[in-house]
Amino acid sequence: MNAKNFDKLMDEELKNADGKSLLLHCCCAPCSTACLERLFKKIKTTVLFYNPNVKSGEYEKRKAEMIRFLSETGYAVFLDCDHDEESFYSAVKGLEKEKEGGARCLKCFELRLAKTRDIAEANGFDYFSTTLTLSPLKNAEAINKTGESLQKNAKWLYCDFKKRGGYLRSVQLSKEHNLYRQNFCGCVYSENERKTVAETDKK
């Protein structure tokens, strides 16, 4: 059976999105760049910055860059959430030693997308989605299946933002706006894994 073309499904949905609204979960400014550029003028978009997985210090940097990028472009309205780290640690309890991209990450996706869905429904948004599919390191199929399973009144907007050069465009736009670009997802487990790999490579 052929896999779904999430990029095509999004384009088809946006053809009928006039007057409708989208709550877009954004993990960071660099990932949001190409996504928002593509969505701008196609659907009224509000950015939700809900990332309890990102450790303190790193979280504040990413949030500030997100706000700065939106102020420079006017692409979307910004909606903040409390930095509730405990919700992340509770969601991934028992999965701390999982490799990045595994079961722990799937739980993290579900946590953030469920919150996005809840806020979308509470505020009357027509759609909810995420910038997470821009990264070549993220499983677009798993993310879309999670979003699809969570939709109720607010509809999941399928996406695969890395398609059609999306990731490369995000790198270009990040340079143009001089955005801070991180080299790990934001959680302490991802950071520790990257450090371990780096130390191994030095040996």
Side-chain angles (χ1 to χ4, degrees):
M1 186 169 70
N2 294 330
K4 287 183 178 179
N5 186 330
F6 301 114
D7 181 60
K8 183 178 180 181
L9 288 172
M10 183 179 77
D11 268 0
E12 290 175 351
E13 193 70 37
L14 290 177
K15 289 177 182 177
N16 303 308
D18 187 42
K20 295 186 178 180
S21 57
L22 166 68
L23 184 62
L24 182 70
H25 164 262
C26 288
C27 53
C28 63
C31 283
S32 74
T33 55
C35 304
L36 289 170
E37 181 183 59
R38 184 171 170 189
L39 292 168
F40 186 56
K41 295 185 179 179
K42 290 186 177 180
I43 188 168
K44 184 179 179 182
T45 303
T46 296
V47 161
L48 177 68
F49 194 77
Y50 175 66
N51 298 292
N53 58 306
V54 181
K55 67 175 191 174
S56 294
E58 180 70 19
Y59 177 89
E60 287 73 21
K61 284 182 185 178
R62 297 189 187 191
K63 178 180 171 180
E65 288 293 79
M66 188 76 252
I67 293 172
R68 180 170 71 82
F69 177 68
L70 291 178
S71 69
E72 290 178 2
T73 62
Y75 278 158
V77 175
F78 180 78
L79 182 59
D80 195 9
C81 267
D82 292 334
H83 186 206
D84 181 18
E85 287 183 90
E86 285 307 311
S87 64
F88 168 68
Y89 291 120
S90 176
V92 302
K93 187 175 181 180
L95 301 171
E96 294 86 351
K97 294 183 179 179
E98 288 283 324
K99 286 187 175 294
E100 188 172 358
R104 185 183 66 244
C105 292
L106 293 178
K107 279 290 183 182
C108 183
F109 297 156
E110 182 180 8
L111 171 67
R112 290 187 279 175
L113 294 184
K115 182 74 169 182
T116 305
R117 186 273 319 277
D118 289 346
I119 294 175
E121 300 238 326
N123 290 277
F125 285 89
D126 298 294
Y127 298 94
F128 70 105
S129 197
T130 182
T131 61
L132 287 168
T133 61
L134 179 93
S135 171
L137 300 176
K138 299 291 191 294
N139 186 325
E141 184 174 6
I143 292 167
N144 278 285
K145 282 184 177 179
T146 299
E148 182 181 52
S149 71
L150 291 169
Q151 63 185 346
K152 293 180 181 178
N153 293 325
K155 190 175 180 180
W156 170 252
L157 183 64
Y158 291 105
C159 61
D160 193 352
F161 286 111
K162 71 176 70 66
K163 296 292 186 180
R164 288 185 276 169
Y167 176 73
L168 292 177
R169 179 59 177 159
S170 75
V171 173
Q172 180 184 6
L173 287 168
S174 295
K175 290 179 179 178
E176 290 178 8
H177 290 272
N178 195 29
L179 294 174
Y180 162 67
R181 287 179 60 82
Q182 64 283 345
N183 62 358
F184 70 111
C185 85
C187 77
V188 293
Y189 310 115
S190 171
E191 183 180 37
N192 290 340
E193 185 174 320
R194 291 296 176 91
K195 287 180 178 177
T196 300
V197 170
E199 289 171 1
T200 301
D201 289 344
K202 289 178 181 179
K203 295 179 180 178

